[in-house]
Amino acid sequence: MHLLHDPNAPAAEAIDFDAFLKVDIRLGTIIAADPFPEARKPAYKLKIDFGPGIGVRQSSAQITTHYQPAALVGRQVAAVVNFPPRQIGKFMSEVLTLGFPDAAGEVVLFSPDQALPNGARLF
């Protein structure tokens, strides 16, 4: 099992609060989810609305085990919005959608338990 997926792994190396603040994690609503058959690992192409400050960004997400595209539309998710874009095949992934691994290492999305404004920042 990869260290990032191991729930029994020790905590990562300590960082200071300023380092944490550099990671911009925002809440957005998925407005489109489409299959991504060109990806090496099964994935979806997501369009996520982060509100007027950030706008709509796209993400490639390996979440095909637990989610169907139609059920993702309207769901709020957290994503890192200030990583550099990453080219995945012919698709440019602009944000990193966040989740946790289940017991088999498959992604379960990280979402709030109530509706919040798009663009809200994690603190």
Side-chain angles (χ1 to χ4, degrees):
M1 176 177 281
H2 190 278
L3 185 62
L4 290 175
H5 298 163
D6 183 359
N8 298 314
E13 179 182 329
I15 61 171
D16 63 28
F17 192 69
D18 288 337
F20 168 74
L21 290 176
K22 290 179 182 178
V23 181
D24 192 352
I25 300 172
R26 301 289 183 107
L27 190 67
T29 300
I30 298 172
I31 59 172
D34 297 299
F36 188 7
E38 305 87 6
R40 278 184 280 174
K41 293 183 180 180
Y44 296 134
K45 296 177 188 178
L46 305 178
K47 285 191 178 179
I48 306 169
D49 182 359
F50 292 98
I54 296 171
V56 174
R57 300 281 176 95
Q58 54 188 22
S59 179
S60 171
Q62 296 174 2
I63 57 174
T64 59
T65 298
H66 294 298
Y67 306 97
Q68 293 300 314
L72 289 166
V73 175
R75 181 186 184 105
Q76 287 194 299
V77 293
V80 176
V81 298
N82 66 332
F83 283 158
R86 185 171 175 203
Q87 188 78 40
I88 301 174
K90 294 181 180 180
F91 183 77
M92 184 64 72
S93 187
E94 300 171 309
V95 300
L96 176 65
T97 305
L98 300 176
F100 291 97
D102 67 9
E106 299 296 334
V107 179
V108 175
L109 291 170
F110 181 73
S111 298
D113 61 2
Q114 56 186 285
L116 298 169
N118 287 337
R121 185 169 181 177
L122 181 73
F123 62 87

